[in-house]
Amino acid sequence: MSTSTELKPSDIRLDERYGPIINNRVEEAADGYMDVVNAATGDVMAQIGRGGQSDIDRAVKAARTAYPKWAETPIEQRSALLNKMADVLEENQERLKLIECMETGRALHEFDLDYQLAIYQFRYFAGAILTYYQGESRPVDNGYLITKKEPLGVCAQIIPWNVPMIMTAFKLAPALAAGNTVVLKPAEDACLSVLEFGKLLSEFLPPGVVNMVPGVGEEAGQALIDHEDVDKLAFTGSVDVGRIIGKTAGERILPVTLELGGKAPHIVFPDVDIDSAVENATLGYTFFNGESCILGTRLLVHDDIYDEFVEKLIERAKEIKIGPPTDRSTRLASIINKKQGERVLNYFNIAREEGAKILYGGNRVTVPGHEHGYFIEPTIIEAEPHMRIAQEEIFGPAATLTRWKEVDEVVEIANDVEYGLAAGIMTTDLENAMTVANKIEAGSIWINSYFNFQSGAPFGGYKNSGVGREYSKEALDEYSQSKTIVAAFKMPPLGTFK
Ligand code: NDP
């Protein structure tokens, strides 16, 4: 997608401080503020509230108060408001993209895809809700049976820092469409674009329908999931925190949606055009700065073409432009923060210690004027499938390479991992493609074109990658519950119960 506006970082005006957005007002944060910094330069962009118990209490109360009216709002009106959310996001996208680019450190050009997906989410659910209510209605003996869908109530939603606006849209759109109200906690490292969007929503959504509380996960996030007046938990992030949230949901018998990590295999058959396969593989492991759960980070390449593929993959990696995030020609930019950057580099050390071979990359590079940032080379590592580098989520621009010869063997390697979010297959042979696609344990499988997101296709994980589905009509089920009403025309005749 091209962009006509050429906004510069110096054009961006932010508020000095962002407290929680409650009842359509930005309130003072009860527990103080902390800095949000530009991931690449380290400059303080703004301050956000720490988001303690008091902020969460007020936000949940607002969502609870708004709930009955929102749940009863006719679907045509909810649909119209969701379309308006899409319009507002579309109108303001260039500014929000730039803010998000600066706080995440990811390359600006990538946000064209992020915002396309986010805008689409609101439009999709604006339409989907109009055709969702197709409950059963049938005559039964002496009466009638009706099944209907009802919303759940107040939803607690927690999102990560890697793709803030995609996550905001994935969470808000189905929840609101289904008639729920929301308290959203964005990630402390990347929440300014989300809070700015929240301010725009406050201009037209009924008060209390969407509330946002910035803050620290262990404080604001924990207080939100533990709040006794929330009816649903939805989370995207690490498996460790996913377990905490799943456990809380279990203890309180709450419905939960979890979208956790990934370690996707990307399988290359020998019949491919190697140049195209290398291009697709490179996109698959470097997009989103390597900081995404859906990346194709385990390249499984057939023995017949392995050497040529590797050579070309390295050549392609050398061409990737590492540079300032806000430069539209940059293709790889800064990791979100020092902790995450060091974590990625540490994985390269683990790989070396395990005996894996770093064929290219593996280093942090300096981008002048952006010394604070963790810019990491695209990294290609030859590894055995059991090694940690080939099993654990790295969340940086790195792929492992493993050779295979037999189809059964590659299926076994592909599935021998705790995750199951996505997978890729490259081949011109439809039988191979479909046979392997059927056997891979993953929620999304892209044949010959990685990241091929399509309208309304369910998105979510097998195994430790999560519970539930988003992005599709199935998400409306995640935010609704069914009710059966059986109406008898008359009471049972007297004497039925003796
Ligand atoms: P986390 O899972 O810690 O963070 C995700 C969100 O959960 C953030 O909003 C965070 O708050 C919040 N959170 C943290 N602890 C709690 C808690 N106890 N209760 C409620 N909410 C909480 O991910 P990290 O940012 O630490 O990233 C670590 C790893 O997780 C990455 O390296 C990657 O492997 C994986 N990850 C996966 C993502 C995915 O899309 N599946 C996205 C991000 C990370 P806070 O604002 O404090 O960060």
Side-chain angles (χ1 to χ4, degrees):
M1 197 201 284
S2 67
T3 166
S4 51
T5 328
E6 283 302 330
L7 274 178
K8 297 184 294 299
S10 55
D11 297 327
I12 298 295
R13 295 278 170 271
L14 291 168
D15 296 346
E16 213 169 293
R17 300 202 314 192
Y18 292 79
I21 302 176
I22 299 171
N23 273 328
N24 286 353
R25 282 191 306 272
V26 182
E27 297 198 352
E28 278 299 323
D31 296 286
Y33 290 84
M34 57 191 177
D35 293 341
V36 176
V37 300
N38 180 311
T41 64
D43 296 339
V44 175
M45 293 178 68
Q47 288 202 311
I48 55 162
R50 286 192 69 86
Q53 186 69 50
S54 161
D55 289 351
I56 293 293
D57 284 346
R58 282 178 289 128
V60 172
K61 194 170 172 205
R64 173 60 60 200
T65 307
Y67 172 64
K69 197 154 175 224
W70 181 249
E72 282 173 12
T73 299
I75 51 173
E76 293 81 359
Q77 282 179 35
R78 293 209 299 260
S79 169
L81 284 168
L82 281 159
N83 270 322
K84 187 149 187 203
M85 291 170 84
D87 293 344
V88 164
L89 191 53
E90 198 159 29
E91 283 156 20
N92 291 278
Q93 61 176 312
E94 297 312 328
R95 176 168 180 271
L96 296 176
K97 281 176 193 173
L98 193 50
I99 295 170
E100 204 165 311
C101 160
M102 289 157 72
E103 56 184 342
T104 60
R106 285 177 45 215
L108 182 57
H109 88 101
E110 293 187 347
F111 290 96
D112 293 341
L113 175 66
D114 287 46
Y115 277 66
Q116 190 184 322
L117 288 174
I119 292 162
Y120 159 73
Q121 273 299 277
F122 291 111
R123 294 212 196 290
Y124 175 80
F125 284 103
I129 197 62
L130 298 177
T131 59
Y132 180 58
Y133 296 105
Q134 295 179 343
E136 193 182 359
S137 156
R138 63 181 157 99
V140 294
D141 189 29
N142 183 35
Y144 234 86
L145 174 151
I146 297 165
T147 60
K148 64 180 289 238
K149 293 280 187 191
E150 293 187 351
L152 299 170
V154 175
C155 301
Q157 302 184 321
I158 297 179
I159 58 170
W161 43 262
N162 58 337
V163 287
M165 197 55 77
I166 294 182
M167 287 297 109
T168 300
F170 271 39
K171 295 287 180 280
L172 291 187
L176 298 181
N180 303 278
T181 56
V182 166
V183 177
L184 178 91
K185 193 209 84 70
E188 66 189 90
D189 287 315
C191 57
L192 298 177
S193 63
V194 177
L195 294 168
E196 281 289 329
F197 181 49
K199 281 167 55 187
L200 294 167
L201 297 182
S202 299
E203 290 171 16
F204 62 91
L205 283 181
V209 168
V210 172
N211 307 277
M212 296 182 177
V213 182
V216 179
E218 290 84 354
E219 298 168 21
Q222 193 72 47
L224 178 57
I225 61 167
D226 286 342
H227 200 289
E228 60 183 19
D229 205 21
V230 300
D231 303 300
K232 152 97 190 178
L233 307 182
F235 170 77
T236 298
S238 64
V239 176
D240 288 348
V241 178
R243 283 204 171 94
I244 296 174
I245 293 184
K247 207 167 159 191
T248 306
E251 276 161 7
R252 304 198 25 223
I253 321 288
L254 291 180
V256 63
T257 312
L258 301 173
E259 201 268 274
L260 310 175
K263 190 76 181 175
H266 202 170
I267 300 170
V268 192
F269 275 82
D271 58 0
V272 293
D273 172 73
I274 296 185
D275 291 325
S276 306
V278 162
E279 184 74 26
N280 193 32
T282 303
L283 174 83
Y285 85 89
T286 60
F287 205 80
F288 300 111
N289 223 26
E291 296 163 296
S292 165
C293 46
I294 55 172
L295 295 179
T297 52
R298 286 189 300 146
L299 292 169
L300 308 179
V301 183
H302 193 271
D303 191 47
D304 289 354
I305 57 161
Y306 186 87
D307 294 335
E308 186 181 348
F309 184 93
V310 173
E311 195 181 314
K312 289 185 165 171
L313 193 73
I314 292 171
E315 287 313 307
R316 188 66 191 77
K318 288 179 187 165
E319 290 167 11
I320 294 176
K321 183 179 168 191
I322 302 175
T326 52
D327 178 342
R328 269 204 165 262
S329 65
T330 291
R331 288 296 172 267
L332 262 187
S334 171
I335 298 289
I336 182 87
N337 56 27
K338 182 174 180 192
K339 181 178 152 210
Q340 188 66 25
E342 290 293 343
R343 184 176 181 271
V344 173
L345 294 171
N346 187 45
Y347 264 113
F348 299 155
N349 289 334
I350 292 170
R352 290 183 190 100
E353 283 161 16
E354 279 185 311
K357 250 201 309 205
I358 298 196
L359 302 179
Y360 182 76
N363 302 300
R364 180 182 178 189
V365 294
T366 306
V367 172
H370 299 77
E371 286 75 10
H372 179 83
Y374 271 73
F375 296 82
I376 295 179
E377 292 172 315
T379 300
I380 299 165
I381 307 161
E382 196 168 50
E384 296 294 326
H386 66 270
M387 292 176 173
R388 283 184 65 191
I389 192 76
Q391 289 285 325
E392 297 176 18
E393 189 170 56
I394 311 301
F395 241 58
T400 57
L401 271 165
T402 301
R403 240 179 239 272
W404 61 274
K405 286 185 179 161
E406 304 297 331
V407 172
D408 287 349
E409 178 195 3
V410 77
V411 169
E412 200 181 316
I413 297 171
N415 285 335
D416 185 19
V417 66
E418 68 171 295
Y419 299 109
L421 191 57
I425 301 166
M426 288 189 258
T427 177
T428 54
D429 182 322
L430 188 62
E431 187 183 348
N432 274 339
M434 292 312 296
T435 306
V436 172
N438 282 330
K439 290 181 177 171
I440 299 283
E441 296 158 353
S444 294
I445 299 190
W446 292 299
I447 298 170
N448 291 328
S449 178
Y450 212 77
F451 301 129
N452 197 351
F453 283 103
Q454 290 297 322
S455 309
F459 175 74
Y462 282 38
K463 304 193 280 193
N464 284 0
S465 287
V467 176
R469 294 292 179 270
E470 300 185 307
Y471 197 59
S472 65
K473 249 183 173 176
E474 280 184 41
L476 293 172
D477 292 334
E478 309 279 350
Y479 285 99
S480 307
Q481 51 197 336
S482 298
K483 179 179 277 180
T484 301
I485 302 172
V486 184
F489 296 142
K490 292 185 195 132
M491 304 275 182
L494 270 179
T496 303
F497 179 65
K498 280 190 185 154

